[in-house]
Amino acid sequence: MKINLIAFLIATIGLSPLYAQSEGKNIKIGLALSGGGARGIAHIGVLKAFEEYGIPIHYIAGTSMGAVVGSFYASGYDADSLETIFKTTDWFAIFSNKPERPLIPLSRRLNQIPAIFQLGFDFWKIELPEAALSDYRINRILIKYLSRAGFQAGRNFDHLPIPFRAVATDLKTGQRVILSRGNLSRAVRASISIPLLFPPVELDDLVLVDGGLADNIPVDVVKQMGPDLVIAVDVTSPPLERTMYQDIIGIANQLTDLLSSSRNMAYFQSPDILIKPDLHKHNFADYSKIDSLIAWGYEAAIKVVPQIKAHILHGMTNHKTTEQDKALSFDGRIIKTINIYGNRYLRQSIIRREFGLRIGEKFQLNEAIHGMDVVYATGFFKTCWLDFFPKDSSGIEIDLHVKEAIRRTIEIGLGYNDDDRAKGFLRFQNRNLFGWGERAQLNVYGSDAGAGLRIRVQGDRFWNIYLGYLVQFFLERNKPKFFQNHDYVNRAEFDHLGTKFLINVHMGRPGLFQGGFEIERVKIQERIGLNFAPQTDQLRKLKLALFWDSLDDLSFPTEGIKLAITYDWNLKKLGGIDNFWQLAFLFKAAFSFHKQHVLEPGLWVGLSDEILPVYEKFRLGGPYFMPGLHRDELWNNQVLAAYLAYHFHLKPRLRLSLLTSAGNSWQQRNAIRLNSLIIGAGASVEYLTPLGPIGISIGINKRGDHRVYFSVGF
């Protein structure tokens, strides 16, 4: 970083007389770090400047993001480590309530369309959410980086490498709460609980929210710790302009500012030295300019270095603990006790099973966090967190705290594409029907392509064995498009009424084997322009399927594999129409390189009897497997298609894609020829929104077909 050398020399020459007064005394320095959301990343730049010029810090107090940066530094992470942590954190994901996708049981991911809105209810009572954002991923990152130091300190923040205080606000009284002992990660989490955005934190008998409501620049708190010199870093957001509080985040921030201003004045005290970086109206919720924020903090600190140096004699001492010390005092202890707190309806045995750690095993923090991730991925909890206590000289007690999600919910999903137009669904769900994790759902959906109702009950596992079940009833009217020579003819109309029962055999988290049967009645309605005679068919199918899905994300995967092999066999002797079978193989993978670049190959093979009802035929078309054709334009008994896509991620939520493909469909298996594949190519741009991806793409093929596609959501 550039240093304003001239300003530095001038300031050094004009040292304050305080230098003479402090000569011969090694003074203690206290640091007060303010809140300010993403603006608080500038604190790292201030710490980098202090390290560079040998300025020691002996006490730290922080509010909100100041508590985050301050606690990390007090725990032994230097400024460079902090910079690495903040740069490698996925800030878009950290404010999301999505669990790690590969950890979700595969039976719950199959055909599950994410909702854009959810409302809880308890029979006739509406249950509103605590906050707009989930705190689970924030809990996770704080546990990961602060648990070791907090455990070593014996839950006393004075025993950290640098004594530390976190500031929160009592939601009941509005009074400032100074946190000096207990669970370090939980104390910091309380300090960043912005009302409306994040859930409050319950500690002992208090309900705590963001410390910025009461004391955003905790100078008074540092002074109580006994330093000789107090330095404050103020990254408080400037007053919001009217255009900046027109959404829920902006409104929450504006309310926080209005409610906290008078309370902050009551606690405010002036520091000996104030550092106020010029952050150029940087938005408190914008985590995209980490380098700039650190640089601005560094530049502001450099300007006051001479003033600080006038007070001190000795350089900075190393306050970091070694990785070996951390491991000896934390990891490697024997697990003596595992306690579960907070479950109301879900049986504790289910939680222990998913958590995975066992009494008598050696403790590893990463394994404990992974177990917590697995518990959260079940979908039964809105949040989880961990606490640790020593048990004798070599043991450890683990407390897993959970807060159950609302069991009964109403969920809404919306989408659009240029072929089916607007579409949506309404889903009523009970996510824990009998206390063993059974899910019951009633889905109602509709679009130009049809409408329907599905009722399903699903259990993932019986006791501790990897065996589950799915029972489903469905009533649907499918209205797919039919084309002739690329021209739209009409929509067919197939009415389905049936039920199916499947046994699920789980193969870890990513794998699933299914076997069962389906009983169905299908009515084919007469439609103008389509040569389908009205008739009613009875189907009696045996079903087998093998699934594997380790993709890290549904919309924008960067790694993993997705595989589906399904086999359906309709049997006439069981009451069905003609004997026929279908075998489908679908493969997709993602491989990332150089962070922003992803290769995605895909393959689809569909084989069947030549005697196949029209509503059972494979459908091929669309921007991936057959660019240039309408979605589902080709209907046939056999299909073969493959594509290779290249994705360039401009930003975490924005990507550009290029692809090439080859595919076709045939009536008979012996007609399949590689030289009859239709070669195509396409390009697209997609942006991830709360509705799902918004995408626009263009596709062409060697026959001269071309088409523009547009889609939103599922």
Side-chain angles (χ1 to χ4, degrees), residues 40 42 63 110 120 139 201 229 263 269 301 391 411 457 532 534 558 625 688 704 708 714:
T63 296
L110 291 177
N139 292 343
V201 169
L229 177 73
R263 182 67 65 181
Q269 290 193 20
K391 294 285 283 188
E411 300 174 348
V457 178
F532 304 148
T558 59
F625 282 113
L688 193 58
V708 175
F714 74 93

Tab-separated table of all heavy atoms in Angstrom, residues 40 42 63 110 120 139 201 229 263 269 301 391 411 457 532 534 558 625 688 704 708 714:
chain	number	residue	atom	x	y	z
A	40	GLY	N	-16.892	-2.127	8.376
A	40	GLY	CA	-16.001	-2.545	9.443
A	40	GLY	C	-14.795	-3.323	8.964
A	40	GLY	O	-13.849	-3.534	9.734
A	42	ALA	N	-12.691	-2.171	7.168
A	42	ALA	CA	-11.605	-1.185	7.228
A	42	ALA	C	-10.798	-1.322	8.513
A	42	ALA	O	-9.621	-0.905	8.562
A	42	ALA	CB	-12.177	0.225	7.114
A	63	THR	N	-18.032	-3.369	18.776
A	63	THR	CA	-19.476	-3.400	18.595
A	63	THR	C	-19.773	-3.879	17.184
A	63	THR	O	-19.150	-3.413	16.220
A	63	THR	CB	-20.089	-2.003	18.803
A	63	THR	OG1	-19.885	-1.603	20.150
A	63	THR	CG2	-21.574	-2.004	18.501
A	110	LEU	N	-34.758	-34.673	-4.482
A	110	LEU	CA	-35.353	-35.116	-5.732
A	110	LEU	C	-36.668	-34.385	-5.995
A	110	LEU	O	-37.577	-34.404	-5.171
A	110	LEU	CB	-35.604	-36.624	-5.692
A	110	LEU	CG	-34.370	-37.536	-5.707
A	110	LEU	CD1	-34.813	-38.983	-5.599
A	110	LEU	CD2	-33.555	-37.322	-6.982
A	120	GLY	N	-45.165	-19.581	8.140
A	120	GLY	CA	-45.496	-20.649	9.061
A	120	GLY	C	-46.887	-20.488	9.647
A	120	GLY	O	-47.407	-19.376	9.746
A	139	ASN	N	-23.186	-18.102	12.574
A	139	ASN	CA	-22.806	-18.918	13.726
A	139	ASN	C	-21.637	-19.818	13.382
A	139	ASN	O	-20.685	-19.969	14.154
A	139	ASN	CB	-23.987	-19.798	14.166
A	139	ASN	CG	-25.134	-18.998	14.750
A	139	ASN	OD1	-24.963	-17.849	15.129
A	139	ASN	ND2	-26.295	-19.605	14.818
A	201	VAL	N	-30.261	-12.941	20.135
A	201	VAL	CA	-29.544	-14.022	20.806
A	201	VAL	C	-29.967	-14.064	22.277
A	201	VAL	O	-29.971	-13.030	22.952
A	201	VAL	CB	-28.020	-13.826	20.687
A	201	VAL	CG1	-27.269	-14.793	21.600
A	201	VAL	CG2	-27.576	-14.010	19.246
A	229	LEU	N	-3.938	4.789	27.043
A	229	LEU	CA	-4.262	5.518	25.816
A	229	LEU	C	-5.392	4.776	25.105
A	229	LEU	O	-5.324	3.559	24.925
A	229	LEU	CB	-3.036	5.597	24.903
A	229	LEU	CG	-3.221	6.268	23.535
A	229	LEU	CD1	-3.356	7.780	23.715
A	229	LEU	CD2	-2.052	5.940	22.614
A	263	ARG	N	-29.530	6.919	22.555
A	263	ARG	CA	-28.878	5.997	23.475
A	263	ARG	C	-27.360	6.056	23.310
A	263	ARG	O	-26.611	6.012	24.280
A	263	ARG	CB	-29.384	4.577	23.228
A	263	ARG	CG	-28.820	3.541	24.160
A	263	ARG	CD	-29.285	3.727	25.572
A	263	ARG	NE	-30.721	3.529	25.711
A	263	ARG	CZ	-31.380	3.661	26.852
A	263	ARG	NH1	-30.727	4.011	27.940
A	263	ARG	NH2	-32.675	3.469	26.886
A	269	GLN	N	-18.123	8.642	24.849
A	269	GLN	CA	-16.982	9.340	25.428
A	269	GLN	C	-15.945	9.518	24.336
A	269	GLN	O	-15.811	8.692	23.434
A	269	GLN	CB	-16.396	8.556	26.601
A	269	GLN	CG	-17.281	8.529	27.838
A	269	GLN	CD	-16.547	8.020	29.058
A	269	GLN	OE1	-15.311	8.029	29.106
A	269	GLN	NE2	-17.308	7.589	30.062
A	301	ALA	N	-5.088	5.090	9.255
A	301	ALA	CA	-4.258	4.794	10.421
A	301	ALA	C	-2.859	5.370	10.280
A	301	ALA	O	-2.261	5.842	11.263
A	301	ALA	CB	-4.198	3.288	10.643
A	391	LYS	N	-13.806	-31.067	30.550
A	391	LYS	CA	-14.185	-32.115	31.503
A	391	LYS	C	-12.894	-32.781	31.957
A	391	LYS	O	-12.256	-33.477	31.156
A	391	LYS	CB	-15.119	-33.142	30.857
A	391	LYS	CG	-16.472	-32.586	30.461
A	391	LYS	CD	-17.382	-32.363	31.659
A	391	LYS	CE	-17.962	-33.673	32.142
A	391	LYS	NZ	-19.001	-33.486	33.182
A	411	GLU	N	-45.814	-22.524	1.390
A	411	GLU	CA	-44.722	-22.065	0.545
A	411	GLU	C	-45.236	-21.746	-0.854
A	411	GLU	O	-46.125	-22.424	-1.368
A	411	GLU	CB	-43.625	-23.132	0.470
A	411	GLU	CG	-43.039	-23.472	1.827
A	411	GLU	CD	-42.051	-24.617	1.781
A	411	GLU	OE1	-41.978	-25.312	0.737
A	411	GLU	OE2	-41.363	-24.830	2.777
A	457	VAL	N	-46.295	-38.348	1.522
A	457	VAL	CA	-45.734	-38.534	2.855
A	457	VAL	C	-44.414	-39.268	2.678
A	457	VAL	O	-44.347	-40.280	1.972
A	457	VAL	CB	-46.678	-39.325	3.773
A	457	VAL	CG1	-46.021	-39.549	5.143
A	457	VAL	CG2	-48.009	-38.593	3.938
A	532	PHE	N	-54.670	-38.030	-31.729
A	532	PHE	CA	-54.749	-38.873	-30.551
A	532	PHE	C	-56.220	-39.219	-30.314
A	532	PHE	O	-57.032	-38.326	-30.006
A	532	PHE	CB	-54.195	-38.167	-29.314
A	532	PHE	CG	-52.785	-37.674	-29.466
A	532	PHE	CD1	-52.365	-36.529	-28.811
A	532	PHE	CD2	-51.871	-38.359	-30.251
A	532	PHE	CE1	-51.066	-36.073	-28.940
A	532	PHE	CE2	-50.565	-37.904	-30.395
A	532	PHE	CZ	-50.165	-36.755	-29.743
A	534	PRO	N	-59.403	-40.353	-28.339
A	534	PRO	CA	-59.757	-40.351	-26.920
A	534	PRO	C	-59.790	-41.779	-26.382
A	534	PRO	O	-60.379	-42.674	-26.986
A	534	PRO	CB	-61.159	-39.729	-26.909
A	534	PRO	CG	-61.270	-38.982	-28.199
A	534	PRO	CD	-60.458	-39.747	-29.181
A	558	THR	N	-20.496	-25.666	-9.214
A	558	THR	CA	-19.081	-25.512	-9.561
A	558	THR	C	-18.303	-26.808	-9.392
A	558	THR	O	-17.176	-26.920	-9.878
A	558	THR	CB	-18.421	-24.427	-8.697
A	558	THR	OG1	-18.540	-24.792	-7.306
A	558	THR	CG2	-19.090	-23.074	-8.918
A	625	PHE	N	-29.712	-29.387	-24.430
A	625	PHE	CA	-29.512	-30.599	-25.228
A	625	PHE	C	-29.806	-30.399	-26.714
A	625	PHE	O	-29.204	-31.058	-27.549
A	625	PHE	CB	-30.380	-31.735	-24.681
A	625	PHE	CG	-29.816	-32.374	-23.442
A	625	PHE	CD1	-30.456	-32.238	-22.230
A	625	PHE	CD2	-28.641	-33.107	-23.489
A	625	PHE	CE1	-29.943	-32.827	-21.085
A	625	PHE	CE2	-28.117	-33.702	-22.355
A	625	PHE	CZ	-28.766	-33.560	-21.142
A	688	LEU	N	-28.504	-14.858	-10.749
A	688	LEU	CA	-29.209	-15.542	-9.670
A	688	LEU	C	-29.929	-14.531	-8.800
A	688	LEU	O	-29.326	-13.600	-8.263
A	688	LEU	CB	-28.217	-16.350	-8.831
A	688	LEU	CG	-28.799	-17.368	-7.855
A	688	LEU	CD1	-29.657	-18.395	-8.586
A	688	LEU	CD2	-27.682	-18.056	-7.093
A	704	GLY	N	-29.990	-25.109	-39.320
A	704	GLY	CA	-30.409	-23.731	-39.534
A	704	GLY	C	-31.471	-23.259	-38.564
A	704	GLY	O	-31.915	-22.107	-38.650
A	708	VAL	N	-34.375	-17.934	-29.454
A	708	VAL	CA	-33.998	-17.199	-28.250
A	708	VAL	C	-34.853	-17.724	-27.092
A	708	VAL	O	-36.072	-17.895	-27.229
A	708	VAL	CB	-34.198	-15.683	-28.420
A	708	VAL	CG1	-33.909	-14.950	-27.115
A	708	VAL	CG2	-33.300	-15.151	-29.534
A	714	PHE	N	-37.858	-21.544	-11.449
A	714	PHE	CA	-37.851	-22.991	-11.689
A	714	PHE	C	-38.452	-23.348	-13.042
A	714	PHE	O	-39.168	-22.586	-13.656
A	714	PHE	CB	-38.615	-23.697	-10.562
A	714	PHE	CG	-40.111	-23.544	-10.616
A	714	PHE	CD1	-40.896	-24.490	-11.251
A	714	PHE	CD2	-40.745	-22.464	-10.019
A	714	PHE	CE1	-42.272	-24.371	-11.295
A	714	PHE	CE2	-42.126	-22.335	-10.042
A	714	PHE	CZ	-42.886	-23.281	-10.679
